[in-house]
């Protein structure tokens, strides 16, 4: 429920405050009042439209764009699951600004994706992302494709695991893109992030997809161009996948899976 979503976020916010980090949820340490949520939800269309205009208008300075993202974050916090009506336009904006020159803006993109994952069900964002992947702009641009997968990873990471289970097969199938695209480092890193989010969020619930996930992770590990920080994170994810399979470490996972993986290549 939305209330339980807030419960988890409040705990995380308090932990971040205690650690000295700014929480995604700003000053909110409890769910906003019914009155404030009613006002925002009543005017949601206009509020989202204005925020996206400030972000996307090419004549606007980075400071205006940054404020637009911060405002959008608070709009989502108050709109909660009602924001699903504007999912398409918000996701397109996130793809566009994920790797923006201003790092503060890129950070806000992640914050917006975080909140969308918490309030919007996978049954809505998975079909929307599939539609976006099928568009010509996505097929012709490595950066856009990588950005879509990265945003998908953020959504999956913060989705409620129970609502993900019915969509795991569809999400795993999204990762099976053409081999020539998989040679691109940006794509490999983004695909790793999706696998990472699935494993961390779903835990034992991802067990039946171990062969597919192991195959993707092994491909990332074998690349010479993947950043060292990604490979370091990958080792941790391999250990977690081993644990999910009841194995003591990643070496045992390699031994268990590599035979099957090689058979599939023959």
């Amino acid at each position: 429920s939305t209330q339980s979503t807030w419960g988890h976020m409040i705990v995380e916010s308090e932990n971040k405050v205690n650690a000295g980090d700014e929480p995604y949820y700003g000053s909110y340490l409890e769910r906003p009042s019914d009155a404030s949520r009613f006002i925002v939800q009543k005017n949601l269309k206009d509020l989202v439209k204005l925020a996206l205009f400030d972000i996307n208008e090419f004549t606007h300075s980075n400071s205006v764009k940054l404020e637009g993202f911060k405002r959008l974050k608070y709009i989502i916090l108050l709109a909660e699951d009602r924001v699903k009506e504007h999912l398409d336009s918000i996701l397109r904006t996130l793809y566009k600004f994920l790797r923006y020159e201003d790092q503060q803006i890129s950070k806000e993109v992640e914050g917006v994706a975080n909140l969308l994952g918490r309030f919007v069900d996978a049954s809505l964002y998975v079909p929307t992302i599939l539609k976006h992947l099928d568009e010509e702009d996505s097929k012709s641009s490595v950066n856009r494709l990588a950005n879509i997968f990265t945003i998908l990873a953020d959504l999956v990471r913060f989705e409620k695991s129970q609502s993900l289970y019915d969509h795991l097969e569809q999400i795993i199938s999204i990762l099976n893109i053409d081999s020539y695209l998989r040679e691109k480092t940006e794509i490999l890193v983004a695909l790793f992030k999706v696998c990472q989010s699935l494993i961390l969020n779903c835990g034992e619930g991802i067990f039946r997809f171990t062969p597919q996930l192991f195959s993707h992770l092994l491909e990332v590990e074998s690349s010479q161009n993947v950043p060292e920080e990604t490979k370091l994170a990958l080792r941790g994810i391999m250990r977690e996948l081993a644990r999910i399979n009841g194995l003591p470490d990643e070496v045992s996972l390699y031994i268990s899976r590599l035979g099957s993986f090689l058979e599939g290549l023959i």
Side-chain angles (χ1 to χ4, degrees):
S1 68
T2 303
Q3 186 61 58
S4 64
T5 296
W6 268 101
H8 290 300
M9 293 199 302
I10 289 166
V11 170
E12 290 177 6
S13 284
E14 290 173 338
N15 289 340
K16 286 199 169 195
V17 169
N18 293 336
D21 298 328
E22 179 186 357
Y24 279 130
Y25 325 113
S27 59
Y28 288 115
L29 289 180
E30 60 183 19
R31 190 181 187 188
S33 67
D34 291 346
S36 58
R37 285 185 284 117
F38 172 78
I39 292 170
V40 167
Q41 291 172 12
K42 183 178 179 181
N43 298 282
L44 185 57
K45 181 178 179 181
D46 291 336
L47 290 170
V48 171
K49 183 178 179 180
L50 182 58
L52 292 182
F53 173 77
D54 284 346
I55 293 168
N56 287 296
E57 172 55 45
F58 75 96
T59 62
H60 284 174
S61 65
N62 284 354
S63 62
V64 173
K65 294 178 185 296
L66 182 61
E67 286 305 312
F69 270 113
K70 289 182 176 180
R71 200 162 66 249
L72 181 60
K73 211 164 56 174
Y74 280 100
I75 290 168
I76 296 171
L77 279 169
L78 290 157
E80 298 180 342
D81 59 346
R82 299 284 185 86
V83 78
K84 64 188 179 185
E85 301 161 16
H86 306 281
L87 182 62
D88 187 277
S89 57
I90 293 175
L91 284 177
R92 291 181 187 279
T93 298
L94 298 186
Y95 306 151
K96 181 178 177 181
F97 287 94
L98 179 63
R99 300 172 197 274
Y100 198 62
E101 59 193 27
D102 188 319
Q103 291 301 307
Q104 285 184 292
I105 290 177
S106 296
K107 184 177 179 180
E108 291 300 324
V109 168
E110 294 177 9
V112 172
N114 172 317
L115 293 175
L116 286 178
R118 295 176 187 275
F119 288 117
V120 179
D121 193 88
S123 62
L124 296 173
Y125 67 71
V126 170
T128 303
I129 285 179
L130 279 170
K131 181 183 72 174
H132 294 167
L133 287 170
D134 199 43
E135 293 172 353
E136 286 304 317
D137 286 350
S138 302
K139 295 177 180 179
S140 60
S141 171
V142 169
N143 284 337
R144 178 178 167 83
L145 189 59
N147 288 353
I148 292 176
F149 281 123
T150 302
I151 294 299
L152 173 62
D154 286 335
L155 294 169
V156 167
R157 179 70 185 91
F158 295 100
E159 173 70 86
K160 293 181 286 293
S161 55
Q162 293 89 344
S163 63
L164 266 179
Y165 292 149
D166 290 339
H167 306 282
L168 286 177
E169 190 166 351
Q170 196 173 27
I171 294 172
I172 294 290
S173 70
I174 291 175
L175 305 181
N176 296 323
I177 59 175
D178 292 340
S179 57
Y180 78 92
L181 288 171
R182 304 177 73 87
E183 296 173 1
K184 308 294 183 181
T185 302
E186 304 96 310
I187 300 292
L188 273 182
V189 172
L191 292 178
F192 163 71
K193 289 179 178 178
V194 178
C195 294
Q196 181 184 42
S197 292
L198 287 168
I199 292 169
L200 291 177
N201 192 336
C202 297
E204 283 75 8
I206 204 74
F207 170 78
R208 63 192 176 101
F209 295 103
T210 294
Q212 297 96 316
L213 290 168
F214 180 79
S215 175
H216 291 305
L217 294 175
L218 195 62
E219 188 172 11
V220 174
E221 188 173 43
S222 64
S223 171
Q224 299 298 314
N225 301 317
V226 169
E228 187 59 35
E229 61 179 341
T230 299
K231 291 202 172 184
L232 184 63
L234 185 144
R235 287 194 283 274
I237 289 300
M238 281 290 199
R239 286 194 293 273
E240 178 61 15
L241 189 59
R243 185 195 67 78
I244 289 169
N245 280 265
L247 300 170
D249 51 40
E250 65 269 34
V251 174
S252 303
L253 180 66
Y254 285 112
I255 294 171
S256 170
R257 296 304 321 166
L258 205 50
S260 299
F261 178 71
L262 291 174
E263 286 176 12
L265 295 177
I266 297 175

